[in-house]
Amino acid sequence: MSYLREELYQLQKTDSGIFDFIQESSLGGLWYWDLATTRNKWASSKFWKIVGHETEAWHTVLSQEDLAAIEAHTEACIANQSYSYTQLVRCTHQNGTNVWLHCSGLVLRDMAGQPYRMLGVLLDITRQRNEEVYTQELASHYGSILSNQSVYIIKTDARGNYTYVNDFFYERFGYDSKIIGTNSLESIVEEDWAKCLTVVGQCFARPEVPQQVILRKPYKDGTIRSNHWEFKGVLNGEGQVGEILCVGYDVTLLLDNLERSKRLLELTKQQNTRLQNFAYIISHNIRSHSANLTSLVKLMQNAKSEEQAAMFLQMLKTSTDKLAETIVNLNEIVTANSTFNQPREPRLLRLEVDKTLQALNILLHESQVTVTNDIAAEVTVNVVPAYLDSILLNLLSNAVKYRSPDAAPTIAIGSYEQGEYTVLTITDNGLGIDLTRNRSKVFGMYKTFHNNEDARGVGLFITKNQIEAMNGKIEIESEVGVGSTFKVYFNESIQSDLYS
Amino acid sequence: MRAFNLIYIVEDDLITSTITELIVSQNDAFGEVKKYMNGQEAFNALQVVAQQPAAIPDLILLDLNMPVMDGWEFLEAFSSLSLQKTVCVCVLTSSIDPDDIEKSKRYAEVKGYFTKPLDGDMLNQIAGLAT
């Protein structure tokens, strides 16, 4: 036996300072309890310091449950000499916080072998305990973030292969863990690859800056979803970008709404432009007549003779008639422009063309026009019926009115499908219009091209407005002396939701 | 003293051109008036007299919106004519579209832009444009 051990043992028997030093510096306190029926208890000052009490307030400090457990252990020790125990003891600090102590108990026996004291050695484990709880909370906190139901969280290695994806990502895109290790580009639509690689490149160049990008991926049900991502380079031990952390969320609905707003804005812009043009047209047409009326009244007042006055009166009458006619025309245009919500109904195109030709029968007969209608009997268009009537009447009567004086007049009518449109074609061999000079004016208001006396210059303008009100369009091909072809595009996709 | 000896009125509306002619001929500063139904007719007439300074008009009152050849097309064609005389062109229209007013300023030949109805004050202003 080492002489030092011998010496220390002897020393601590005589010098109480040694014992105090050991328990003060290494323990959370000592208990020394009397096992006689009185159950007197003593605890070292270190214990009272840990629980923040100056008096021996056993009842307020000790958890009664744990005290009962210690009693039970002690009874077991009394009954069985080889029994020893350790017990977690919860105490309440004076400031209300919990103090956790680890207690190992030893039952001491007298000469006769009877148990008479209990020595408890206490270790303060409050700090370890709190750290454990905090770690658990943190884990469940991050766990709940990762397993959220709205944000995708994925990681890839430096080559772009998946190293982690959260459950929400699996669930939404219908993948399983086999995706780990595969290339993340493969799950993105090919058109977006370049965009994705650019952003990854920026992550490598400046890992401290998060990069934003919107990428499209096929969803598990086959639809394509747009996701907004934040990419950030994660540095490894060597200070190199070892991983890319990507956090994303679905913005399909947002983008769709944005697209919808853009379309609405575009539509509003078009309508505004049309309204403004319309205001100038109204002002021009009404002003030109009102200007004549003003001048004529003035001239009449200063008329030099009865004959002159009568002439002015006649001109005044013509002017008022023209003004009235202009107002009727404008009213037609306003009607075509203001009725976006007119109900559309299916109509058999061939049948409607035949009806119009019937109405023009006398005119066609007099002008000896040969008409061929090649529209298939089953072709149906969804139209505002009154507009279709007006459009057909206008285009067909124009084809007759502007027939060639030199050749036997013909009108050929046909139709074909083109994307979302059913296209009606009306081809004549008439006078034609010089489109290099007049393309921008063909469908303008009060534009006439042939010095024709009864040309009002509103027909094609109204036709165009009616077609546009049904989301369609009209085009013309024409050559002077050869003839004209008008193409009317009937829009068959229902876009009424735009206006609801 | 006459400001303009020969005046062309280019106007498709018969009543308007008749009224314009009446008002112009009542003013001593204006001489002979010739009327044309559209730009093409006026242009054809100018081509014929291009080499005869005496027969070239001093003033053209030009409407904008006309069939066959409108006022703008007339101005384009007019610029290409090499006339032996400076002609004062005034736009006389019902249009108050600011685009039309702006566009007319791009033609050096256009000395004024007037909106109908034409009256005595306006005519005096036009007379003042004579050089």
Side-chain angles (χ1 to χ4, degrees), chain A residues 404-418:
Chain A
S404 163
D406 309 322
T410 60
I411 301 175
I413 305 156
S415 79
Y416 59 91
E417 302 290 319
Q418 187 184 315

Side-chain angles (χ1 to χ4, degrees), chain A residues 142 162 262 283 316:
Chain A
Y142 284 125
Y162 286 112
K262 267 190 201 157
S283 134
L316 203 56

Side-chain angles (χ1 to χ4, degrees), chain A residues 335-350:
Chain A
T335 314
N337 266 300
S338 64
T339 48
F340 271 106
N341 278 322
Q342 286 262 21
R344 286 162 70 174
E345 294 169 21
R347 282 287 185 273
L348 287 166
L349 191 55
R350 185 187 172 91

